[in-house]
Amino acid sequence: MPLLNIKGLRKSYGALEVVAGIDIAVNAGECFGLLGPNGAGKTTTLRLALGLTAPDSGTISLFDLPVPGKAREARIRVGVVPQMDNLDPDFTVRENLMAYGRYFGLKDAETARRIPALLEFAGLEHRADARIDALSGGMKRRLTLARALVNDPDLIFLDEPTTGLDPQARHMIWQRLRELINQGKTLVLTTHFMEEAERLCDRLCIMDRGKIIATGSPRALIEQHIEPEVLEVVGEEVDAWAEQYGRGLCQRLEKTGEMLFCYTRDSRALLEHLKSQSSLRYLHRPASLEDVFLKLTGKELRD
Amino acid sequence: MGFSRDLRPHSRRGLRSYMHEHSNGQSGMNRAALFRLPSLSLRFIPVWRRNFLVWRKLAIPSILGNLADPAFYMLGMGYGLGGLLPEVGGVPYLTFLAAGTVCYSTMNSATFEVLYSGFSRMHVQKTWEAILNAPLTLDDVLLGELVWAVSKSLLSGVAILAIVWALGLAGLGQTLWLLPLIILIGFCFAGMGLVMNALSPNYDFFMYYFTLVITPMVLLCGVFYPVDQLPSWLQTVSAWLPLTHAISLARPLVQGGEPQHILAHVSALLAYGSIGYYIALVLTRRRLLK
């Protein structure tokens, strides 16, 4: 039985259908990703799953409890890392964890017993009495993650856990999320970073305009939707080259801005030809989730 | 790629969701959930405690702010203006002012707490959002805020009462009934203020409430002079304002008498508080659980 089971879920705001009939089943112990551009409906899906808003139609069950009907009871076993940090600025690091434990009905002694391990997990052992505004962005994120673990949840929802962090801070979060996965926790995360999804998720679905347009493991999605090799080509004469040679030398061409993407199953002939084109620069790489994502959601800019 | 691919599904989707929306009746919460009566649970306690612990850190400036302002008004006007007046309402002006100041200080404290501090927690710091991810409901959070505002206003009312005792303006025994009254006044204005909190887009919005509701109450409800000094049409307005009911109960208690029409005044304060709280809860559900 999946820990989180969503069927036929719909939610509209005014005339805009933000979640347009989706099915999601998240099994115990897996890291499940909701990948999509801004406005795809990822955050609304999480809010619905937590019972913070009621669906227009469809069913949600969390730990076999109906949501939103029994959402409060279900949240006893859930941790949440919200998109925007909402730590308590008037409390220290330790006091934030204590206060959050109380919301779960934990006795202060119990929370106090858990705090050293949480601080260690967050790498904040020496910051227990620091004020929140004295923490860096990465530290705040790690504390928010530690706070989500105060009730020792079985399932953790993370809404864009690394958005706005620098690469070092992002890697520290990823490392901790992998630790949680290794401990057997179930993770549901939203992201628009392909790298994050590719590194962490066992399975993911790609959401666009409220719908799920693909589901599977990162590797399966790449194999299913994209040729294995990509050449990114730029240069002044790239358009002419694409028409004259490129189209014949690869399976599929996509142009985004100045960049031409050539997708191919066998790049040898293409590479050979490009070596002789002094006006073009190119990069040869294996296909990634990003290519799948761009193919399925389109390359236009979204606001 | 390009426009054709992007636009077609978009317009189709627009129509479909429009039809879905209208076949469904409404978006957001269903009506029953939106208008459900407040659920009262002891789960509000950790919310109350969170506010208390933050307040404790900043207690000294907070107490000063709550206490000093009304105390200086009462003492300055009581002695300064009172010296020029023979008696007001049959007692020295300072004694007259004491009852009004207890009520007005309680009102102010409850109002400030749910407006400015409550709005910081709800909208600016997103503290409520963090709490709602835990196994608490919005009803628990709002109840915690209500009880907290009542607690804080109790402190403000009692602080003024302590000055009244210290100056010997009234005996301890006769004024003990003021304690439940202060709680009731705090409840009344916390409930009303939470409606403003639920509606507010920003801090500036609260200026309307202070200018159009709180200030008229301070001036029309008998804090500084008896209501019967006002022309009759203003007396009619005054009779509808909750602070008038509070002062009608408080003044006889301070002056050692027995209030008239107790049931009516208590009912008025309870009604303002509980109707306000219910409206605030519905509006806050609509705002945060959409």
Side-chain angles (χ1 to χ4, degrees):
Chain A
M1 193 65 197
L3 292 193
L4 171 66
N5 204 355
I6 290 176
K7 287 200 177 120
L9 190 65
R10 289 179 181 275
K11 176 79 181 175
S12 298
Y13 291 113
L16 183 67
E17 193 167 37
V18 179
V19 177
I22 61 169
D23 301 288
I24 292 174
V26 180
N27 300 310
E30 75 175 337
C31 177
F32 187 87
L34 281 170
L35 189 63
N38 293 331
K42 306 185 296 287
T43 299
T44 304
T45 303
L46 288 198
R47 283 176 55 78
L48 285 160
L50 287 164
L52 298 176
T53 184
D56 297 338
S57 62
T59 59
I60 306 163
S61 81
L62 187 56
F63 295 106
D64 277 338
L65 295 168
V67 171
K70 293 269 175 205
R72 195 195 70 77
E73 289 80 354
R75 288 202 300 270
I76 292 172
R77 297 173 63 188
V78 168
V80 179
V81 177
Q83 198 175 114
M84 301 287 185
D85 284 320
N86 51 24
L87 295 162
D88 225 313
D90 298 304
F91 284 147
T92 64
V93 169
R94 185 196 310 277
E95 288 165 343
N96 260 282
L97 297 171
M98 289 299 289
Y100 216 68
R102 288 182 202 117
Y103 302 143
F104 284 86
L106 294 178
K107 298 239 177 303
D108 281 1
E110 176 58 26
T111 311
R113 201 181 58 74
R114 294 180 184 190
I115 281 178
L118 292 171
L119 289 177
E120 192 193 332
F121 178 79
L124 293 169
E125 303 97 314
H126 306 297
R127 294 304 197 113
D129 298 312
R131 286 176 53 91
I132 298 308
D133 55 18
L135 302 182
S136 70
M139 289 176 181
K140 283 183 196 163
R141 222 71 269 263
R142 270 151 34 216
L143 177 57
T144 304
L145 180 57
R147 189 184 69 174
L149 301 174
V150 76
N151 56 322
D152 192 19
D154 298 309
L155 173 59
I156 303 151
F157 288 98
L158 304 109
D159 196 1
E160 300 194 6
T162 63
T163 296
L165 297 184
D166 62 33
Q168 284 86 349
R170 180 171 298 158
H171 276 275
M172 287 188 81
I173 295 285
W174 286 344
Q175 186 194 331
R176 278 156 179 87
L177 296 183
R178 265 193 302 272
E179 271 179 53
L180 293 174
I181 296 165
N182 292 339
Q183 287 170 24
K185 304 275 189 202
T186 308
L187 267 55
V188 175
L189 67 92
T190 75
T191 183
H192 50 234
F193 292 122
M194 310 305 133
E195 197 190 346
E196 184 161 287
E198 227 165 329
R199 276 165 184 263
L200 296 171
C201 296
D202 301 307
R203 260 182 345 119
L204 55 91
C205 63
I206 298 180
M207 266 188 99
D208 193 28
R209 297 200 177 107
K211 284 190 167 9
I212 291 175
I213 51 178
T215 308
S217 72
R219 185 183 296 267
L221 284 172
I222 295 166
E223 281 169 8
Q224 192 182 336
H225 293 278
I226 290 286
E227 299 75 7
E229 293 179 70
V230 187
L231 273 118
E232 297 178 5
V233 187
V234 279
E236 274 183 26
E237 284 143 44
V238 70
D239 288 335
W241 176 84
E243 288 310 316
Q244 208 176 341
Y245 304 104
R247 203 166 288 285
L249 290 167
C250 67
Q251 270 71 44
R252 203 160 53 80
L253 281 178
E254 292 243 21
K255 182 96 189 287
T256 300
E258 295 297 295
M259 183 79 73
L260 184 72
F261 293 79
C262 309
Y263 295 96
T264 176
R265 288 192 190 86
D266 182 353
S267 62
R268 278 173 296 184
L270 192 55
L271 279 169
E272 204 54 46
H273 182 80
L274 277 169
K275 276 177 191 152
S276 64
Q277 302 291 315
S278 55
S279 68
L280 298 176
R281 284 176 291 123
Y282 64 93
L283 170 74
H284 180 209
R285 61 173 175 81
S288 71
L289 202 52
E290 183 147 4
D291 300 301
V292 179
F293 184 79
L294 292 176
K295 181 184 174 192
L296 295 179
T297 64
K299 290 195 164 88
E300 305 85 6
L301 182 69
R302 298 284 174 80
D303 287 318
Chain B
M1 66 191 176
F3 290 110
S4 58
R5 183 181 150 201
D6 193 34
L7 281 178
R8 267 183 293 107
H10 216 58
S11 53
R12 254 197 328 227
R13 196 182 324 272
L15 179 62
R16 202 169 44 230
S17 60
Y18 178 82
M19 287 163 62
H20 177 70
E21 158 99 346
H22 286 255
S23 63
N24 199 299
Q26 64 161 74
S27 64
M29 317 175 70
N30 65 52
R31 296 185 82 78
L34 186 63
F35 290 104
R36 209 182 52 238
L37 287 174
S39 84
L40 305 176
S41 149
L42 289 180
R43 291 191 300 263
F44 82 86
I45 291 172
V47 180
W48 181 93
R49 192 155 168 215
R50 180 248 162 235
N51 291 348
F52 170 73
L53 291 173
V54 170
W55 171 82
R56 208 174 58 176
K57 292 190 162 210
L58 310 161
I60 289 172
S62 165
I63 290 173
L64 268 179
N66 272 311
L67 177 62
D69 194 66
F72 282 128
Y73 260 94
M74 181 174 86
L75 297 175
M77 293 186 70
Y79 287 119
L81 205 56
L84 303 172
L85 301 168
E87 273 191 338
V88 178
V91 290
Y93 187 49
L94 186 59
T95 311
F96 178 86
L97 209 51
T101 308
V102 169
C103 298
Y104 138 77
S105 173
T106 307
M107 168 182 81
N108 255 0
S109 175
T111 304
F112 265 97
E113 187 59 31
V114 293
L115 263 58
Y116 290 94
S117 311
F119 190 70
S120 296
R121 294 188 282 265
M122 174 183 76
H123 187 73
V124 182
Q125 297 174 190
K126 310 277 182 205
T127 308
W128 294 11
E129 228 165 73
I131 298 173
L132 290 176
N133 285 329
L136 272 76
T137 64
L138 188 59
D139 288 37
D140 302 330
V141 173
L142 219 64
L143 183 60
E145 291 288 339
L146 179 81
V147 178
W148 168 244
V150 172
S151 314
K152 225 184 132 178
S153 65
L154 175 62
L155 192 77
S156 297
V158 168
I160 299 297
L161 204 51
I163 297 177
V164 170
W165 291 329
L167 295 176
L169 300 177
L172 188 66
Q174 73 195 64
T175 49
L176 280 183
W177 277 108
L178 279 169
L179 294 177
L181 177 60
I182 289 170
I183 292 174
L184 183 58
I185 298 169
F187 167 73
C188 172
F189 287 99
M192 286 169 58
L194 281 170
V195 177
M196 290 297 113
N197 181 59
L199 291 172
S200 178
N202 51 44
Y203 290 113
D204 296 330
F205 180 78
F206 298 135
M207 220 40 228
Y208 292 110
Y209 186 64
F210 275 95
T211 311
L212 299 175
V213 179
I214 297 296
T215 305
M217 256 189 286
V218 173
L219 294 173
L220 298 180
C221 295
V223 175
F224 298 110
Y225 38 79
V227 174
D228 56 25
Q229 293 296 310
L230 298 169
S232 68
W233 67 275
L234 270 181
Q235 287 191 38
T236 311
V237 173
S238 172
W240 283 94
L241 300 176
L243 191 64
T244 302
H245 297 280
I247 293 175
S248 301
L249 291 168
R251 187 150 284 142
L253 288 172
V254 169
Q255 297 174 8
E258 196 175 303
Q260 304 291 304
H261 313 299
I262 296 178
L263 189 65
H265 294 311
V266 169
S267 307
L269 291 169
L270 273 177
Y272 270 105
S274 38
I275 293 171
Y277 180 65
Y278 176 65
I279 294 173
L281 186 60
V282 172
L283 291 173
T284 313
R285 284 174 186 155
R286 202 185 61 175
R287 176 176 184 144
L288 295 183
L289 304 182
K290 64 175 190 292

mmCIF file with all atom_site columns, all heavy atoms in Angstrom, chain A residues 10 12 50 87 97 114 119 126 158 189 199 216 278:
data_model
loop_
_atom_site.group_PDB
_atom_site.id
_atom_site.type_symbol
_atom_site.label_atom_id
_atom_site.label_alt_id
_atom_site.label_comp_id
_atom_site.label_asym_id
_atom_site.label_entity_id
_atom_site.label_seq_id
_atom_site.pdbx_PDB_ins_code
_atom_site.Cartn_x
_atom_site.Cartn_y
_atom_site.Cartn_z
_atom_site.occupancy
_atom_site.B_iso_or_equiv
_atom_site.pdbx_formal_charge
_atom_site.auth_seq_id
_atom_site.auth_comp_id
_atom_site.auth_asym_id
_atom_site.auth_atom_id
_atom_site.pdbx_PDB_model_num
ATOM 1   N N   . ARG A 1 10  ? -7.953  17.215 -8.663  1.00 0.00 ? 10  ARG A N   1
ATOM 2   C CA  . ARG A 1 10  ? -8.147  18.466 -9.397  1.00 0.00 ? 10  ARG A CA  1
ATOM 3   C C   . ARG A 1 10  ? -8.301  19.631 -8.438  1.00 0.00 ? 10  ARG A C   1
ATOM 4   O O   . ARG A 1 10  ? -8.911  19.507 -7.380  1.00 0.00 ? 10  ARG A O   1
ATOM 5   C CB  . ARG A 1 10  ? -9.417  18.404 -10.255 1.00 0.00 ? 10  ARG A CB  1
ATOM 6   C CG  . ARG A 1 10  ? -9.312  17.490 -11.440 1.00 0.00 ? 10  ARG A CG  1
ATOM 7   C CD  . ARG A 1 10  ? -10.610 17.467 -12.240 1.00 0.00 ? 10  ARG A CD  1
ATOM 8   N NE  . ARG A 1 10  ? -10.463 16.561 -13.352 1.00 0.00 ? 10  ARG A NE  1
ATOM 9   C CZ  . ARG A 1 10  ? -9.926  16.905 -14.528 1.00 0.00 ? 10  ARG A CZ  1
ATOM 10  N NH1 . ARG A 1 10  ? -9.520  18.144 -14.726 1.00 0.00 ? 10  ARG A NH1 1
ATOM 11  N NH2 . ARG A 1 10  ? -9.812  16.016 -15.489 1.00 0.00 ? 10  ARG A NH2 1
ATOM 12  N N   . SER A 1 12  ? -8.808  24.066 -8.855  1.00 0.00 ? 12  SER A N   1
ATOM 13  C CA  . SER A 1 12  ? -8.799  25.289 -9.669  1.00 0.00 ? 12  SER A CA  1
ATOM 14  C C   . SER A 1 12  ? -8.775  26.508 -8.775  1.00 0.00 ? 12  SER A C   1
ATOM 15  O O   . SER A 1 12  ? -9.339  26.498 -7.682  1.00 0.00 ? 12  SER A O   1
ATOM 16  C CB  . SER A 1 12  ? -10.064 25.371 -10.527 1.00 0.00 ? 12  SER A CB  1
ATOM 17  O OG  . SER A 1 12  ? -10.118 24.295 -11.420 1.00 0.00 ? 12  SER A OG  1
ATOM 18  N N   . LEU A 1 50  ? -1.057  17.544 2.013   1.00 0.00 ? 50  LEU A N   1
ATOM 19  C CA  . LEU A 1 50  ? -0.967  17.787 3.452   1.00 0.00 ? 50  LEU A CA  1
ATOM 20  C C   . LEU A 1 50  ? -2.318  18.158 4.050   1.00 0.00 ? 50  LEU A C   1
ATOM 21  O O   . LEU A 1 50  ? -2.432  18.343 5.262   1.00 0.00 ? 50  LEU A O   1
ATOM 22  C CB  . LEU A 1 50  ? 0.024   18.922 3.722   1.00 0.00 ? 50  LEU A CB  1
ATOM 23  C CG  . LEU A 1 50  ? 1.495   18.572 3.535   1.00 0.00 ? 50  LEU A CG  1
ATOM 24  C CD1 . LEU A 1 50  ? 2.336   19.828 3.438   1.00 0.00 ? 50  LEU A CD1 1
ATOM 25  C CD2 . LEU A 1 50  ? 1.965   17.700 4.694   1.00 0.00 ? 50  LEU A CD2 1
ATOM 26  N N   . LEU A 1 87  ? 11.338  29.846 9.763   1.00 0.00 ? 87  LEU A N   1
ATOM 27  C CA  . LEU A 1 87  ? 11.855  29.653 11.121  1.00 0.00 ? 87  LEU A CA  1
ATOM 28  C C   . LEU A 1 87  ? 11.398  30.824 11.970  1.00 0.00 ? 87  LEU A C   1
ATOM 29  O O   . LEU A 1 87  ? 11.103  31.903 11.460  1.00 0.00 ? 87  LEU A O   1
ATOM 30  C CB  . LEU A 1 87  ? 13.378  29.596 11.083  1.00 0.00 ? 87  LEU A CB  1
ATOM 31  C CG  . LEU A 1 87  ? 13.944  28.392 10.316  1.00 0.00 ? 87  LEU A CG  1
ATOM 32  C CD1 . LEU A 1 87  ? 15.393  28.634 9.948   1.00 0.00 ? 87  LEU A CD1 1
ATOM 33  C CD2 . LEU A 1 87  ? 13.794  27.121 11.128  1.00 0.00 ? 87  LEU A CD2 1
ATOM 34  N N   . LEU A 1 97  ? 13.651  24.378 17.569  1.00 0.00 ? 97  LEU A N   1
ATOM 35  C CA  . LEU A 1 97  ? 13.372  22.939 17.592  1.00 0.00 ? 97  LEU A CA  1
ATOM 36  C C   . LEU A 1 97  ? 12.444  22.578 18.757  1.00 0.00 ? 97  LEU A C   1
ATOM 37  O O   . LEU A 1 97  ? 11.526  21.767 18.599  1.00 0.00 ? 97  LEU A O   1
ATOM 38  C CB  . LEU A 1 97  ? 14.687  22.153 17.670  1.00 0.00 ? 97  LEU A CB  1
ATOM 39  C CG  . LEU A 1 97  ? 15.615  22.329 16.459  1.00 0.00 ? 97  LEU A CG  1
ATOM 40  C CD1 . LEU A 1 97  ? 16.970  21.690 16.722  1.00 0.00 ? 97  LEU A CD1 1
ATOM 41  C CD2 . LEU A 1 97  ? 14.988  21.738 15.194  1.00 0.00 ? 97  LEU A CD2 1
ATOM 42  N N   . ARG A 1 114 ? 16.209  14.685 21.740  1.00 0.00 ? 114 ARG A N   1
ATOM 43  C CA  . ARG A 1 114 ? 16.423  14.513 20.294  1.00 0.00 ? 114 ARG A CA  1
ATOM 44  C C   . ARG A 1 114 ? 17.308  15.604 19.687  1.00 0.00 ? 114 ARG A C   1
ATOM 45  O O   . ARG A 1 114 ? 17.867  15.427 18.602  1.00 0.00 ? 114 ARG A O   1
ATOM 46  C CB  . ARG A 1 114 ? 15.071  14.540 19.558  1.00 0.00 ? 114 ARG A CB  1
ATOM 47  C CG  . ARG A 1 114 ? 14.193  13.359 19.905  1.00 0.00 ? 114 ARG A CG  1
ATOM 48  C CD  . ARG A 1 114 ? 12.861  13.409 19.155  1.00 0.00 ? 114 ARG A CD  1
ATOM 49  N NE  . ARG A 1 114 ? 12.001  12.314 19.585  1.00 0.00 ? 114 ARG A NE  1
ATOM 50  C CZ  . ARG A 1 114 ? 10.870  11.980 18.996  1.00 0.00 ? 114 ARG A CZ  1
ATOM 51  N NH1 . ARG A 1 114 ? 10.444  12.675 17.949  1.00 0.00 ? 114 ARG A NH1 1
ATOM 52  N NH2 . ARG A 1 114 ? 10.147  10.974 19.451  1.00 0.00 ? 114 ARG A NH2 1
ATOM 53  N N   . LEU A 1 119 ? 20.860  18.573 15.683  1.00 0.00 ? 119 LEU A N   1
ATOM 54  C CA  . LEU A 1 119 ? 21.860  19.612 15.434  1.00 0.00 ? 119 LEU A CA  1
ATOM 55  C C   . LEU A 1 119 ? 23.059  19.035 14.691  1.00 0.00 ? 119 LEU A C   1
ATOM 56  O O   . LEU A 1 119 ? 23.615  19.665 13.787  1.00 0.00 ? 119 LEU A O   1
ATOM 57  C CB  . LEU A 1 119 ? 22.315  20.239 16.755  1.00 0.00 ? 119 LEU A CB  1
ATOM 58  C CG  . LEU A 1 119 ? 21.289  21.121 17.460  1.00 0.00 ? 119 LEU A CG  1
ATOM 59  C CD1 . LEU A 1 119 ? 21.837  21.615 18.793  1.00 0.00 ? 119 LEU A CD1 1
ATOM 60  C CD2 . LEU A 1 119 ? 20.889  22.304 16.581  1.00 0.00 ? 119 LEU A CD2 1
ATOM 61  N N   . HIS A 1 126 ? 27.443  23.731 16.960  1.00 0.00 ? 126 HIS A N   1
ATOM 62  C CA  . HIS A 1 126 ? 28.023  24.874 17.682  1.00 0.00 ? 126 HIS A CA  1
ATOM 63  C C   . HIS A 1 126 ? 27.181  26.131 17.549  1.00 0.00 ? 126 HIS A C   1
ATOM 64  O O   . HIS A 1 126 ? 27.588  27.201 17.967  1.00 0.00 ? 126 HIS A O   1
ATOM 65  C CB  . HIS A 1 126 ? 29.448  25.117 17.185  1.00 0.00 ? 126 HIS A CB  1
ATOM 66  C CG  . HIS A 1 126 ? 30.299  23.885 17.277  1.00 0.00 ? 126 HIS A CG  1
ATOM 67  N ND1 . HIS A 1 126 ? 30.597  23.285 18.478  1.00 0.00 ? 126 HIS A ND1 1
ATOM 68  C CD2 . HIS A 1 126 ? 30.852  23.100 16.316  1.00 0.00 ? 126 HIS A CD2 1
ATOM 69  C CE1 . HIS A 1 126 ? 31.322  22.194 18.256  1.00 0.00 ? 126 HIS A CE1 1
ATOM 70  N NE2 . HIS A 1 126 ? 31.475  22.058 16.942  1.00 0.00 ? 126 HIS A NE2 1
ATOM 71  N N   . LEU A 1 158 ? 9.352   17.917 0.764   1.00 0.00 ? 158 LEU A N   1
ATOM 72  C CA  . LEU A 1 158 ? 10.305  19.018 0.604   1.00 0.00 ? 158 LEU A CA  1
ATOM 73  C C   . LEU A 1 158 ? 9.919   19.826 -0.623  1.00 0.00 ? 158 LEU A C   1
ATOM 74  O O   . LEU A 1 158 ? 9.862   19.288 -1.735  1.00 0.00 ? 158 LEU A O   1
ATOM 75  C CB  . LEU A 1 158 ? 11.724  18.483 0.434   1.00 0.00 ? 158 LEU A CB  1
ATOM 76  C CG  . LEU A 1 158 ? 12.234  17.555 1.544   1.00 0.00 ? 158 LEU A CG  1
ATOM 77  C CD1 . LEU A 1 158 ? 12.327  16.128 1.035   1.00 0.00 ? 158 LEU A CD1 1
ATOM 78  C CD2 . LEU A 1 158 ? 13.571  18.026 2.070   1.00 0.00 ? 158 LEU A CD2 1
ATOM 79  N N   . LEU A 1 189 ? 9.744   15.221 -3.033  1.00 0.00 ? 189 LEU A N   1
ATOM 80  C CA  . LEU A 1 189 ? 10.306  16.555 -3.205  1.00 0.00 ? 189 LEU A CA  1
ATOM 81  C C   . LEU A 1 189 ? 9.893   17.173 -4.523  1.00 0.00 ? 189 LEU A C   1
ATOM 82  O O   . LEU A 1 189 ? 9.736   16.477 -5.526  1.00 0.00 ? 189 LEU A O   1
ATOM 83  C CB  . LEU A 1 189 ? 11.829  16.544 -3.029  1.00 0.00 ? 189 LEU A CB  1
ATOM 84  C CG  . LEU A 1 189 ? 12.740  15.849 -4.001  1.00 0.00 ? 189 LEU A CG  1
ATOM 85  C CD1 . LEU A 1 189 ? 13.192  16.819 -5.091  1.00 0.00 ? 189 LEU A CD1 1
ATOM 86  C CD2 . LEU A 1 189 ? 13.973  15.352 -3.265  1.00 0.00 ? 189 LEU A CD2 1
ATOM 87  N N   . ARG A 1 199 ? 19.931  13.111 -9.220  1.00 0.00 ? 199 ARG A N   1
ATOM 88  C CA  . ARG A 1 199 ? 20.782  12.584 -8.160  1.00 0.00 ? 199 ARG A CA  1
ATOM 89  C C   . ARG A 1 199 ? 19.991  11.861 -7.083  1.00 0.00 ? 199 ARG A C   1
ATOM 90  O O   . ARG A 1 199 ? 20.462  10.881 -6.524  1.00 0.00 ? 199 ARG A O   1
ATOM 91  C CB  . ARG A 1 199 ? 21.513  13.731 -7.473  1.00 0.00 ? 199 ARG A CB  1
ATOM 92  C CG  . ARG A 1 199 ? 22.765  14.155 -8.158  1.00 0.00 ? 199 ARG A CG  1
ATOM 93  C CD  . ARG A 1 199 ? 23.174  15.502 -7.611  1.00 0.00 ? 199 ARG A CD  1
ATOM 94  N NE  . ARG A 1 199 ? 24.341  15.996 -8.315  1.00 0.00 ? 199 ARG A NE  1
ATOM 95  C CZ  . ARG A 1 199 ? 25.578  15.862 -7.859  1.00 0.00 ? 199 ARG A CZ  1
ATOM 96  N NH1 . ARG A 1 199 ? 25.796  15.265 -6.715  1.00 0.00 ? 199 ARG A NH1 1
ATOM 97  N NH2 . ARG A 1 199 ? 26.586  16.323 -8.557  1.00 0.00 ? 199 ARG A NH2 1
ATOM 98  N N   . GLY A 1 216 ? 8.479   7.965  -14.130 1.00 0.00 ? 216 GLY A N   1
ATOM 99  C CA  . GLY A 1 216 ? 9.425   6.852  -14.213 1.00 0.00 ? 216 GLY A CA  1
ATOM 100 C C   . GLY A 1 216 ? 10.702  7.172  -13.478 1.00 0.00 ? 216 GLY A C   1
ATOM 101 O O   . GLY A 1 216 ? 10.817  8.231  -12.869 1.00 0.00 ? 216 GLY A O   1
ATOM 102 N N   . SER A 1 278 ? 34.994  25.369 -38.808 1.00 0.00 ? 278 SER A N   1
ATOM 103 C CA  . SER A 1 278 ? 35.750  26.233 -37.897 1.00 0.00 ? 278 SER A CA  1
ATOM 104 C C   . SER A 1 278 ? 34.876  27.326 -37.290 1.00 0.00 ? 278 SER A C   1
ATOM 105 O O   . SER A 1 278 ? 35.188  27.867 -36.236 1.00 0.00 ? 278 SER A O   1
ATOM 106 C CB  . SER A 1 278 ? 36.921  26.868 -38.628 1.00 0.00 ? 278 SER A CB  1
ATOM 107 O OG  . SER A 1 278 ? 36.418  27.552 -39.772 1.00 0.00 ? 278 SER A OG  1
#
